[in-house]
Each structure stands twice: as structure tokens, then as C-alpha cells.
Amino acid sequence: MSQLSVAEFFAGIGLVRSGMEAAGFEVVWANDISPVKRDVYAANFDASDYRLCDVRDIRGDDVPGVDVATASFPCIDLSLAGHRRGLAGEQSGLYFEFIRVLAEMGERRPGAVLIENVPSFISSRGGRDLHDALASLNRLGYVCDLAVVDSRWFVPQSRCRLFVLGLLGTDRAISERPLSLVSDETTDGGREPDALRPPSLRRFLAQTSGVDLTRRMVGCPPSADPRLADVVEHLAEDDERWWGTERLAAFDSTLPERHAARIAELEDQNGVAWRTGYRRTRGGRAVWEVRADEIAGCLRTARGGSSRQALVEIYEGRHRVRWMTARECGRLQGVADGFDISPVTESQALFGFGDAVTVPVITWLVESFVVPEFGVPATNTYAAA
């Protein structure tokens, strides 16, 4: 059987493509509206089939017949940090333009679709938005499964994302297996057997009606123990990106007591420790909060200091701080260092990575749950895990 083909909607800088290609797929068409993201994409992939335009200008005839279509559509109206307009919002509502294009493809529409967005999609407008999104896929002949995957299972970044897998064809079996809200069993990695369906998703599935669902995405990713130290760029002692004395003092002065204690405790230990921090507003006051674990918080679409993540190095009874670099953010998304970000500025690269998917998450999902639907032997090591 020939290589499975992909059309990539809302392609961004190409991290969905990276994950798909690692699983043996071939991306033959892509679309995004951002020239900056397209520049990064073109520096790393063949962009001859990249349509730089608004998805509203795409017609079904513009898209070649493919096996899979992916859509990481804008999250701004679904995010808890946004205005929560849901799919009625101008940005997240572009999901229905993706549906329109699939409809216009007619009998050429792909056998599978993979959609990604923030977990708050589950609760948007009391679950009505997700219900409507699934129903729109059902009307095109797709039955759907849903899962929430945390990037921390693959990389040292806490990043949960909702994935919807749509499979074309009325012969797809509909699962009758019940979805319990709790489970006392755990896997060897300490996760529930149904870890892909956290309580919020289980409640949605238990309460929703009128949509065709299947249950394909079952189980857990391979166990791993990624650490922040694995992605840190080791900058020179005199690198200007380390914060100076005054800025470090300002950082320390806004640390809540328990966060300052975390740093102090690590300063008393041997070796080097790494932690990440975010600037928050608590009680009307800006403070810095440092994570207790050895992973990063969720990367964001950095537009300013409040959305950027700082890196704290703690060693030999002292600590120093700097912003995380774009290369570190790329590593947190599972991107190899050979990924070229030279066409754009540091801040543009940070935005691109923060607005993207985690590469090994995509690879694992498609290896585990998409490839088997086409009867094609898997090519990635996840298949044997």
C-alpha cells in the first residue's frame, strides 16, 4: 500500500507535519494565514503546496484527495484565558470553515480527520460547542472518538490538549462500553487505564446524546520520565540573557513565601536544579511563582512578559534567572535542534512554538489509532510499545 497522505489545515510552523512524518505519513497540502509561520514552515519542509491564505478562501476543489486531514484550529475563543465566545467567536469559529471544505470535497473527503484544541473546548458553552462540532462531523459521515493527551507523558512540559478522531464510514463500530467517572486501577506508570479520558471528558461523554461516537483511543502512552534538565540550553556564565542583579532582586522580592522556600531548599542540596516560573497576578499584585516539579508549565502564545516562562537555575547555594529560549521551547515541543527558526525573530519563534502541538504526541496518536484504520504497518517505535 502506498504512503498515507495528509492535508494539514491551520498548519502553523509545521509541528503536526513533523509528527505525522515521523509516523510515516506524507503531507501533500497545507494551509495557514500567517506569513511568519509560513516562513518557518518553508525553512523546514517543501512548501510548494502550502496555501498562504485565509481558510475562508479555500474551496473543496483546492484540496487534493488525501487519507487524513488535520486541523489545529484557533483556540482563542475556547481558551479559559480568552473571551469564551466558543465556536461563535471569529477565530475558533473557523472550525466550521474546515467542515465546509470537507463537505465541498464530497466523495473525495479523507477517511480520517484529526482535530486538536484546548481541553476547555469540552466545557465551552456548557458542552454545546463540542457537541455541535461532533455533530457536524457526523453529518459528513464521520464517527468520532475523543481523548485528552498530556505532553508531560513525552516531554517535560505540562500541556493537555483535546484530540478528536473522526473516522469515515457507517461500518465503523460504535462502542457500547460504559465510561465510568472514576477508576481505582492504575497502570505501571501510575496513570489510570482510561487516562486519555479525564473526568471532564467522561462527564461530557456520559451526558451527551445525539452524536455518533466510537471508542478507538484506549490505553496510555509509553511510560517516560522527562526532566527539564533534558531541554536546558547551557548558556555561558556571562551570557547577557541571564538577568542582572537588580532584575534578580526584583524577581526574588515578589516570590510568595512558599515559592521562595522551594528555591532555598534546592540551594541547600548538591548539584544543579532547574525550575520554571510564571508571573501571576494575585490579589491585584504581580508575583513570580516557581513550579515545584521538574517540568515546564504549558507553553503559551507569548505576546508579553506575563505569558513568557522564566527558567531558574539553582546551584551551589545560589540561583539565577533568565527567560526560556526559543530553542528550549522547541525542545519542550519535541522538536529536534535541527529545526530551522532562523527566518524569524526570537519572539516570533516563541509564538510559533507556543501556538503549536507537541510532536511526539501526534506521532503516538496516529501510530496507535489512525494507522491501524488503514491496515498499514506502523513505522515508529511507539507501535511496539
Side-chain angles (χ1 to χ4, degrees):
M1 186 176 289
S2 61
Q3 192 174 24
L4 296 172
S5 57
V6 182
E8 187 183 10
F9 290 76
F10 310 100
I13 62 174
L15 300 200
V16 169
R17 177 168 182 162
S18 293
M20 298 293 289
E21 287 185 344
F25 287 74
E26 179 184 12
V27 176
V28 298
W29 184 92
N31 164 249
D32 202 284
I33 196 173
S34 169
V36 170
K37 292 178 181 177
R38 191 266 181 192
D39 287 346
V40 178
Y41 194 105
N44 293 281
F45 309 103
D46 178 3
S48 58
D49 293 310
Y50 192 111
R51 290 289 304 275
L52 180 62
C53 67
D54 193 317
V55 68
R56 286 170 286 202
D57 296 329
I58 299 294
R59 297 293 175 263
D61 289 343
D62 298 327
V63 184
V66 292
D67 298 298
V68 182
T70 66
S72 295
F73 66 100
C75 69
I76 189 168
D77 299 304
L78 298 169
S79 172
L80 293 175
H83 299 293
R84 296 290 276 172
R85 298 187 181 97
L87 294 184
E90 181 178 357
Q91 295 300 311
S92 297
L94 293 174
Y95 167 81
F96 290 114
E97 294 298 322
F98 169 67
I99 293 297
R100 173 190 57 77
V101 175
L102 292 181
E104 291 176 357
M105 292 179 73
E107 296 300 316
R108 297 188 305 111
R109 59 185 178 274
V113 297
L114 185 65
I115 296 163
E116 176 267 348
N117 216 284
V118 291
S120 51
F121 191 6
I122 297 168
S123 61
S124 179
R125 295 199 308 139
R128 287 174 293 173
D129 280 330
L130 184 53
H131 178 280
D132 292 348
L134 297 172
S136 69
L137 287 167
N138 289 166
R139 287 192 290 271
L140 295 178
Y142 294 96
V143 293
C144 302
D145 195 10
L146 302 90
V148 174
V149 182
D150 194 340
S151 296
R152 70 188 301 168
W153 298 339
F154 299 87
V155 295
Q157 179 195 181
S158 174
R159 185 186 189 86
C160 290
R161 287 297 182 265
L162 174 70
F163 291 88
V164 177
L165 173 63
L167 300 170
L168 186 63
T170 56
D171 59 334
R172 306 288 186 180
I174 307 300
S175 174
E176 299 296 333
R177 292 166 60 186
L179 292 164
S180 61
L181 294 181
V182 295
S183 173
D184 294 329
E185 300 178 55
T186 59
T187 67
D188 290 339
R191 299 191 299 270
E192 294 180 0
D194 209 15
L196 298 179
R197 293 172 180 81
S200 60
L201 180 53
R202 297 182 207 178
R203 284 191 291 270
F204 171 85
L205 293 170
Q207 296 167 6
T208 196
S209 61
V211 292
D212 294 331
L213 300 174
T214 184
R215 193 170 185 190
R216 292 298 202 277
M217 296 189 283
V218 178
C220 289
S223 296
D225 187 26
R227 301 294 179 91
L228 192 60
D230 299 334
V231 303
V232 168
E233 275 194 283
H234 296 281
L235 305 185
E237 185 79 25
D238 59 351
D239 192 293
E240 62 182 11
R241 285 170 287 186
W242 291 111
W243 293 356
T245 303
E246 290 186 8
R247 193 171 189 180
L248 180 59
F251 171 88
D252 290 341
S253 69
T254 66
L255 286 169
E257 183 177 349
R258 65 190 179 97
H259 294 267
R262 285 174 185 166
I263 293 178
E265 182 179 357
L266 290 168
E267 286 180 339
D268 290 338
Q269 298 178 7
N270 295 325
V272 179
W274 303 91
R275 294 294 185 269
T276 55
Y278 267 122
R279 195 161 56 194
R280 312 284 194 187
T281 300
R282 304 294 188 193
R285 175 172 172 261
V287 299
W288 277 99
E289 296 181 348
V290 177
R291 288 185 67 102
D293 52 21
E294 297 182 59
I295 65 172
C298 182
L299 295 181
R300 302 179 183 181
T301 49
R303 295 184 184 274
S306 62
S307 62
R308 290 190 67 181
Q309 201 161 172
L311 183 71
V312 185
E313 182 188 54
I314 308 160
Y315 67 108
E316 297 179 355
R318 63 192 180 107
H319 64 277
R320 55 183 179 173
V321 183
R322 61 173 171 80
W323 294 118
M324 294 199 76
T325 68
R327 182 56 65 197
E328 288 166 337
C329 292
R331 293 172 181 174
L332 287 173
Q333 291 286 48
V335 172
D337 285 355
F339 192 85
D340 188 359
I341 55 176
S342 63
V344 298
T345 66
E346 179 86 355
S347 62
Q348 289 170 334
L350 288 169
F351 187 92
F353 285 130
D355 203 30
V357 301
T358 306
V359 174
V361 167
I362 297 297
T363 302
W364 177 75
L365 280 169
V366 298
E367 277 276 328
S368 301
F369 308 120
V370 180
V371 169
E373 298 295 330
F374 292 92
V376 178
T379 61
N380 191 268
T381 54
Y382 290 127

